[in-house]
Amino acid sequence: MNEPVKIVVVYQSLLGIYGDHGNGTVLTKRLVWRGIDAELVTVEPGRPVPDDGAVYLLGGGEDLAQIAAVRELKADGGLFRALDRGAVLFAVCAGYQICGRSFTVGDHDEVMEGLGLLDVTTRRGPRRAVGEILTRWERPDGSTSLITGFENHGGYTTLGPDARPFAQVELGVGNCGDGTEGAVQGRVIGSYPHGPNLPRNPALADHLLELALGTELGPLPNARISAELDELRRQRIAVARHSRNLAEDTRWLGERE
Ligand code: GLN
């Protein structure tokens, strides 16, 4: 019998303050709904990161948590071995930043070395980016899909030549206000939107699974679940568009303080 497909949420207690654990739940559910045996593993610092996972997830968190996560992941080595084996990594916000070459922390913008998995660099931006974000993601077949989420980050990220943007911003800040959002390099995807992201964006969830499994998944067998998810998605996109004015009023909290 095949081993269950392992979805690994990495360091929930450090990088889990924005509910990004939900990304792991969604990936696991979407496999199980299709009759594919799947297991959700949450690994905490001090425990070995399994290197036989299919998809790894990093979430958002505070500066100090980012420093600890980098230190632990480098010492552990399991995530690097898994990626060498062909696993997929989806990293959100603080998780995205630590995947880069470097990022800054604290009031004095101390520069910290990242995991070096993405050719990106993060430095404190002029204003904190907070609010609904709507982006357009180009899928591997050339079609595009909207991504909705909520961004909340002080760091601004710029891409080097080895990384390409994950999506184009329609509403919000994204990487650094240059119209791009997130980064892709091989099987590592970094992106700012929380939400959590994958319940709102099932096409992206399936893309991660298809990358990891090397096979097309097709639609969910249960049409009622698909219809509910479509409706949630329709509502989130409408809210993002509707709240554009409100979001622009509140996005630049720094200016009002
Ligand atoms: N500390 C990082 C920043 O503010 C990440 C924040 C987060 O994960 N939401 O840029």
Side-chain angles (χ1 to χ4, degrees):
M1 208 183 93
N2 285 345
E3 289 289 305
V5 177
K6 208 176 266 181
I7 308 294
V8 185
V9 174
V10 180
Y11 299 168
Q12 162 69 14
S13 61
L14 286 176
L15 299 173
I17 59 170
Y18 289 88
D20 297 312
H21 191 275
N23 290 332
T25 309
V26 165
L27 290 177
T28 312
K29 272 282 180 193
R30 292 185 75 81
L31 289 170
V32 169
W33 280 333
R34 290 175 165 111
I36 300 169
D37 197 9
E39 180 188 7
L40 179 59
V41 176
T42 303
V43 58
E44 293 296 355
R47 305 292 307 161
V49 177
D51 57 14
D52 59 349
V55 182
Y56 289 74
L57 298 163
L58 289 167
E62 293 104 342
D63 290 5
L64 287 180
Q66 290 181 281
I67 298 172
V70 170
R71 190 184 57 229
E72 294 282 323
L73 286 169
K74 282 187 175 172
D76 177 85
L79 176 63
F80 296 96
R81 287 196 299 278
L83 294 173
D84 285 346
R85 263 193 32 246
V88 169
L89 170 61
F90 181 60
V92 173
C93 201
Y96 167 32
Q97 295 176 357
I98 67 169
C99 286
R101 293 187 181 283
S102 65
F103 58 97
T104 48
V105 294
D107 294 341
H108 301 292
D109 296 329
E110 193 185 342
V111 177
M112 307 300 302
E113 197 181 292
L115 299 172
L117 298 170
L118 288 170
D119 183 14
V120 306
T121 305
T122 302
R123 295 288 179 270
R124 187 209 293 261
R127 306 168 190 90
R128 195 167 181 85
V130 183
E132 290 287 331
I133 177 166
L134 193 62
T135 70
R136 190 166 286 280
W137 162 54
E138 187 176 334
R139 300 155 81 149
D141 66 1
S143 64
T144 65
S145 180
L146 286 172
I147 302 285
T148 82
F150 187 85
E151 64 179 334
N152 181 9
H153 54 104
Y156 278 37
T157 301
T158 49
L159 274 57
D162 292 341
R164 60 185 168 80
F166 169 67
Q168 301 299 318
V169 175
E170 293 208 354
L171 163 66
V173 175
N175 280 329
C176 59
D178 67 350
T180 68
E181 200 296 299
V184 185
Q185 192 169 330
R187 289 165 170 249
V188 180
I189 299 178
S191 183
Y192 272 110
H194 303 284
N197 187 315
L198 299 180
R200 293 172 172 225
N201 303 294
L204 175 55
D206 282 353
H207 171 65
L208 298 175
L209 293 171
E210 287 175 346
L211 258 185
L213 302 179
T215 169
E216 270 189 41
L217 286 171
L220 290 180
N222 187 328
R224 188 182 56 79
I225 292 176
S226 292
E228 277 177 23
L229 295 177
D230 286 349
E231 176 55 17
L232 169 70
R233 183 170 167 70
R234 191 194 64 71
Q235 288 179 13
R236 295 317 310 171
I237 292 171
V239 165
R241 289 209 161 115
H242 179 73
S243 68
R244 178 185 286 262
N245 293 335
L246 181 65
E248 282 176 358
D249 283 350
T250 56
R251 182 169 320 285
W252 309 117
L253 290 181
E255 283 180 353
R256 301 188 310 152
E257 280 168 354

